[in-house]
Amino acid sequence: VDAHDRLGFKITGARHGALDIADEGIDLNAFCGMHGVLIEHIEEWSGKGKDIFDSVQRAFNICDMQEYGRFCYDADGLGAGARGDARVINAKRKANGQSVIELDAFRGSGEIINPLGQDVKGRTNEDFFANRKAQAWWSLRTKFLNTYRAVIEHQPFDKDQIISISSKMPLFMKLITELSQPTAEFNDAGKLVVDKKPEGTKSPNLADAVMMRAAGSGRVPVQINPEAIQQ
């Protein structure tokens, strides 16, 4: 909590968000906003009596208020149609002279990012992680471990590889509880799988949004100027 203040450095970096989508059931929609490594905004709301379009629109409204230029969303299951909803909303924004907010799809069931890399020394990512969700949770775990070592053990640190939770957020204690909930084990193939909702617990919607935001989309397009190629 407030690790950036305790370590004495200024927060820099992109301002992005993440949306964990729920329907009209008991699960809640959740949004996480980060400025660089700082979790600075979280909120949750029920989807009861509304459709997913309303939740996507609410995410856009949060982005406008918090100055986030893009957000990622859970593209598995319920969130599959969010990009289409965002396309409709962005079309209206363009017509009204507003800036477009970009979306990145996060698929927990999807492919491992950088499969031949080694997030865990000694094993390639494709050999260690069962899916993208497990890899993303492990990445978040690593950031918290780095932060612990920096704040508590006073070890050298890379300020871009830690994570800080703002105590100014009304729900920050609930977020901490949810972040402590997921468990991990190895499947029959020896790959890491994560159970974010162990028996007797509720879905950690706020933590899911943080996990997606901290992990990012995993792929950032490189823009190349055609004139530079010609030269």
Side-chain angles (χ1 to χ4, degrees):
V1 177
D2 297 327
H4 63 296
D5 288 334
R6 299 171 71 179
L7 293 170
F9 69 87
K10 179 182 177 181
I11 291 294
T12 56
R15 302 180 63 86
H16 293 167
L19 173 64
D20 184 46
I21 301 174
D23 58 8
E24 296 189 50
I26 60 173
D27 280 353
L28 299 177
N29 295 278
F31 189 93
C32 163
M34 293 184 66
H35 177 197
V37 300
L38 174 65
I39 304 170
E40 63 174 8
H41 183 91
I42 51 171
E43 65 178 90
E44 59 184 4
W45 64 93
S46 172
K48 189 173 182 180
K50 300 178 181 179
D51 57 23
I52 291 175
F53 184 92
D54 290 317
S55 291
V56 176
Q57 180 64 71
R58 180 161 175 166
F60 269 77
N61 295 341
I62 296 171
C63 287
D64 284 335
M65 290 187 292
Q66 301 295 327
E67 299 182 347
Y68 301 136
R70 66 191 313 125
F71 67 91
C72 59
Y73 67 98
D74 185 358
D76 287 331
L78 294 172
R83 185 174 294 280
D85 293 337
R87 190 177 297 114
V88 173
I89 295 170
N90 271 326
K92 292 181 179 179
R93 291 173 67 88
K94 281 184 178 180
N96 293 330
Q98 293 177 278
S99 61
V100 169
I101 293 176
E102 302 291 342
L103 265 70
D104 300 307
F106 178 89
R107 293 182 174 84
S109 62
E111 297 179 356
I112 303 300
I113 300 301
N114 188 20
L116 298 181
Q118 293 187 9
D119 293 357
V120 177
K121 188 175 181 180
R123 293 183 63 177
T124 63
N125 293 335
E126 64 180 0
D127 182 57
F128 188 79
F129 300 109
N131 51 31
R132 175 67 175 133
K133 180 178 76 171
Q135 185 182 27
W137 275 108
W138 188 269
S139 173
L140 184 59
R141 172 194 181 277
T142 300
K143 288 182 172 67
F144 277 112
L145 179 59
N146 292 343
T147 308
Y148 176 87
R149 288 173 172 168
V151 173
I152 304 301
E153 299 179 350
H154 307 293
Q155 294 188 18
F157 66 96
D158 179 346
K159 67 180 182 179
D160 293 334
Q161 294 301 318
I162 67 165
I163 195 160
S164 183
I165 302 174
S166 173
S167 63
K168 297 178 182 179
M169 302 184 299
L171 294 174
F172 87 94
M173 285 302 299
K174 183 176 182 180
L175 172 61
I176 290 172
T177 300
E178 290 190 4
L179 286 168
S180 304
Q181 177 175 302
T183 60
E185 62 182 6
F186 291 94
N187 63 16
D188 291 342
K191 295 183 179 182
L192 186 79
V193 294
V194 171
D195 182 5
K196 67 177 185 179
K197 191 169 65 172
E199 186 175 354
T201 63
K202 296 180 180 180
S203 181
N205 305 297
L206 293 172
D208 266 337
V210 168
M211 175 272 294
M212 289 189 291
R213 180 59 276 151
S217 65
R219 294 182 175 87
V220 179
V222 177
Q223 303 295 329
I224 300 177
N225 186 338
E227 295 182 0
I229 298 177
Q230 294 175 359
Q231 293 175 359

